[in-house]
Amino acid sequence: MTPEQLLREGLAAYGLPADAAAIEGLEEFSRRLLERNQVMNLTAITDPCDVAALHLLDCAYLLTAADFQGKSVVDVGTGAGFPGMPLRILEPNFDLTLLDSLGKRVDFLRETADAMGLRRVRCVHARAEEFARKHREQFDIATSRAVAQLNVLCELTLPLVKVGGVFLAMKSVESDPELQEARSAIAQLGGAVEDVTDYTIPGTEVTHRVVRIRKERPTPAGFPRAFARIKKAPLR
Ligand SMILES: C[S@@+](CC[C@H](N)C(=O)[O-])C[C@H]1O[C@@H](n2cnc3c(N)ncnc32)[C@H](O)[C@@H]1O
């Protein structure tokens, strides 16, 4: 199967629209990613079919896990733009902030968003725990994939989410122990696990998980702590 077929059939399997412009946008992003990957470290996945499935379709699943229309969304530790960029390409009607602590990756994202004419994308070079000082409880949705253990990750993300909003954490299906260990941290930060959904990426036998955490109460003022403190004494 070609990447184009994989994307078309995969989006259809999710029940998402698979119009030609969206598919072309995803393929263009994949081309730019793999081209830049030759001179900087953006992804270990280098086959275009694998990028289509393991990056693009994996991330696209989030559009079935929450309604993004009209929302403000922050992707914490976005790296080369996952999950944020595929979501932006597939759904133009929300405000997206792509946040990462590595400046070169953020530069790549800014250049790529400009070159592709993507709108309503803000690329921010910052650590999440520092960004939270000025952007506390400003986002309807936070997303994150492959950034940290859930108890640490929630301290980075939940302070950014409005009360009533959600944090969508992309995790492996082996994350049950991690999830159990994070329950107290999630409660201390004002959240509650609402839903855990496992999904198989179309065209593969790979199954991943989305943990949906609802922000129920404001996060207490002491969080997030400085990263050295979070790392030394993760919330339990
Ligand atoms: C393993 S990469 C994952 C990138 C992307 N989310 C993905 O799934 O391909 C983790 C990324 O998180 C970023 N990161 C780690 N801690 C962070 C923090 N406290 N604030 C912002 N970004 C952070 C790193 O710079 C890195 O780009």
Side-chain angles (χ1 to χ4, degrees):
M1 243 197 246
T2 64
E4 196 247 339
Q5 286 168 320
L6 266 170
L7 291 169
R8 186 177 306 287
E9 291 181 19
L11 293 173
Y14 287 153
L16 295 171
D19 56 88
I23 306 271
E24 173 46 35
L26 292 173
E27 287 198 282
E28 181 178 349
F29 179 59
S30 172
R31 279 195 298 275
R32 290 178 181 274
L33 171 75
L34 292 178
E35 192 181 304
R36 188 63 62 88
N37 200 43
Q38 299 191 347
V39 291
M40 64 181 284
N41 179 18
L42 289 171
T43 175
I45 296 172
T46 54
D47 175 79
C49 284
D50 291 341
V51 172
L54 302 177
H55 278 325
L56 302 172
L57 287 176
D58 185 32
C59 296
Y61 180 79
L62 285 193
L63 291 171
T64 74
D67 181 7
F68 281 70
Q69 294 248 355
K71 301 283 168 49
S72 56
V73 178
V74 60
D75 186 22
V76 174
T78 188
F82 299 111
M85 275 296 219
L87 302 179
R88 160 72 321 136
I89 291 164
L90 291 168
E91 171 52 72
N93 182 23
F94 68 89
D95 290 317
L96 175 62
T97 298
L98 298 171
L99 179 68
D100 202 278
S101 55
L102 258 183
K104 283 188 175 177
R105 291 185 178 158
V106 176
D107 291 344
F108 160 74
L109 292 171
R110 198 174 286 122
E111 281 169 36
T112 304
D114 284 351
M116 291 181 65
L118 298 174
R119 290 166 188 265
R120 298 170 73 176
V121 185
R122 181 169 56 147
C123 301
V124 179
H125 173 210
R127 296 198 61 91
E129 62 277 15
E130 289 161 11
F131 184 73
R133 283 197 208 118
K134 286 196 179 155
H135 300 85
R136 196 171 184 83
E137 300 187 339
Q138 289 190 359
F139 296 90
D140 300 300
I141 300 175
T143 60
S144 197
R145 186 181 80 160
V147 173
Q149 288 278 312
L150 197 56
N151 55 344
V152 169
L153 187 60
C154 284
E155 188 165 348
L156 302 179
T157 54
L158 279 175
L160 295 169
V161 179
K162 294 177 188 172
V163 173
V166 287
F167 169 37
L168 303 173
M170 300 180 73
K171 286 283 163 190
S172 92
V173 287
E174 273 98 51
S175 58
D176 285 340
E178 186 182 331
L179 188 54
Q180 283 313 319
E181 199 181 69
R183 281 193 189 265
S184 161
I186 294 167
Q188 290 176 64
L189 293 160
V193 175
E194 191 171 66
D195 195 28
V196 177
T197 309
D198 294 347
Y199 61 96
T200 300
I201 301 171
T204 77
E205 291 179 356
V206 177
T207 303
H208 282 169
R209 169 172 291 178
V210 176
V211 180
R212 192 168 64 218
I213 297 168
R214 181 72 58 183
K215 179 87 171 257
E216 293 188 326
R217 302 172 305 283
T219 299
F223 302 118
R225 299 164 293 163
F227 192 68
R229 188 83 197 124
I230 299 176
K231 210 173 151 197
K232 191 165 173 215
L235 283 176
R236 304 255 179 235

